[in-house]
Amino acid sequence: MMPEPLDALNAFLTWYRDLYGTRWFIDEEEENTPARPVEASAKLPAPEVPVAPTPVGGLEDYHQHIKECQICPLGGTRTNFVFGSGNPEADIMFIGEAPGRDEDLQGLPFVGRSGQLLTRILEMAGLKREDVYIANILKCRPPNNRDPQPDEIESCSPYLHRQIELVHPKLLVALGRISAHKLLNTETPLTRLRGQIHRYRGTPLVVTFHPAYVLRNQNAMADAVGDVKGIVNLIKTL
Ligand code: URA
């Protein structure tokens, strides 16, 4: 008798063959087709939303709708789903990487050491935390604060996208490399992305250091504050 996993594999292969036939590989001809030229500003198409249709409603309704998410394995290891916090009608929305230990425990973004530094940077530039909205690329903590994995980012990004639509900020601020690279669909080094106005699906976006980086490199503090002061000036023109 076939052991159980082989049964499952066999059933899958039969199903696949019935559906698609036996041609499983890309023809060489298709493989060599030249890439179609794209506009310089074109971005990859939006990922499909992996959840039931979004309810009509505000930000808090949306939070309630998605907070039990189990789409990726981080749903099984988190303590709390960290949706976001701040002014739901903010002009400026900051986007970090992923919750850390403190954020996972409290269910709020940027409440640990880097969060305290973010608050200080904002205040030194004349902003209050309550005036802005803060969220992350991932809503759940990666174990041991490891970098988010590409599949986790892909699963979570429809949530962030909808959240951005609901806050509808005038300006997005990517905090650090992971956030900037995901939102701008680029691998350009962070230092080259700073000081420019980019766009995420039409919304102006600027890039600055992640506060955790500033904690480790205190001489980046002046630049981080300078970036946020630039943001305060920029927002007046948008
Ligand atoms: N780092 C992040 O990127 N986000 C948080 O919420 C906390 C730390």
Side-chain angles (χ1 to χ4, degrees):
M1 214 173 76
M2 238 189 282
E4 245 176 64
L6 284 183
D7 273 347
L9 179 63
N10 196 38
F12 171 77
L13 290 174
T14 309
W15 168 82
Y16 197 96
R17 187 201 54 206
D18 293 346
L19 207 57
Y20 299 109
T22 49
R23 187 181 158 274
W24 290 3
F25 299 98
I26 299 172
D27 284 343
E28 216 179 293
E29 210 177 283
E30 282 171 22
E31 217 171 3
N32 293 334
T33 307
R36 191 194 296 166
V38 286
E39 298 284 329
S41 61
K43 292 274 178 272
L44 289 174
E48 303 260 316
V49 177
V51 286
T54 306
V56 179
L59 203 55
E60 190 43 35
D61 287 347
Y62 190 53
H63 178 191
Q64 295 308 317
H65 180 65
I66 64 174
K67 70 177 188 186
E68 307 298 342
C69 178
Q70 291 294 337
I71 287 173
C72 86
L74 299 184
T77 53
R78 68 166 179 245
T79 312
N80 280 297
F81 185 87
V82 180
F83 181 66
S85 72
N87 177 356
E89 294 178 357
D91 284 343
I92 309 174
M93 177 165 176
F94 287 81
I95 302 173
E97 183 180 317
R101 190 179 57 102
D102 295 306
E103 290 76 21
D104 178 57
L105 290 174
Q106 294 187 42
L108 291 168
F110 283 101
V111 288
R113 280 185 71 219
S114 18
Q116 285 156 22
L117 184 60
L118 176 62
T119 307
R120 194 152 143 247
I121 293 170
L122 295 181
E123 286 175 358
M124 285 174 76
L127 284 176
K128 287 199 238 88
R129 246 184 106 118
E130 313 85 81
D131 296 337
V132 303
Y133 191 82
I134 303 177
N136 282 307
I137 295 283
L138 291 193
K139 308 293 182 214
C140 301
R141 180 192 184 201
N144 304 316
N145 298 344
R146 63 154 167 75
D147 278 358
Q149 303 293 297
D151 57 328
E152 294 160 358
I153 294 180
E154 280 323 298
S155 306
C156 222
S157 66
Y159 294 155
L160 178 65
H161 176 60
R162 182 71 185 133
Q163 198 172 15
I164 293 171
E165 283 182 340
L166 289 166
V167 176
H168 196 54
K170 288 185 180 160
L171 181 67
L172 292 165
V173 184
L175 293 169
R177 173 181 61 89
I178 294 204
S179 172
H181 284 181
K182 164 63 195 159
L183 294 170
L184 296 175
N185 188 25
T186 182
E187 300 217 332
T188 304
L190 188 88
T191 41
R192 292 211 351 245
L193 297 172
R194 281 180 61 233
Q196 291 178 45
I197 304 175
H198 311 268
R199 280 189 187 268
Y200 171 80
R201 300 186 177 196
T203 305
L205 180 151
V206 294
V207 171
T208 187
F209 297 117
H210 193 286
Y213 172 84
V214 183
L215 276 177
R216 294 191 303 269
N217 301 275
Q218 304 238 330
N219 50 7
M221 181 69 180
D223 282 341
V225 175
D227 284 352
V228 182
K229 283 185 176 165
I231 287 164
V232 172
N233 289 334
L234 178 62
I235 200 74
K236 293 178 194 146
T237 70
L238 295 176

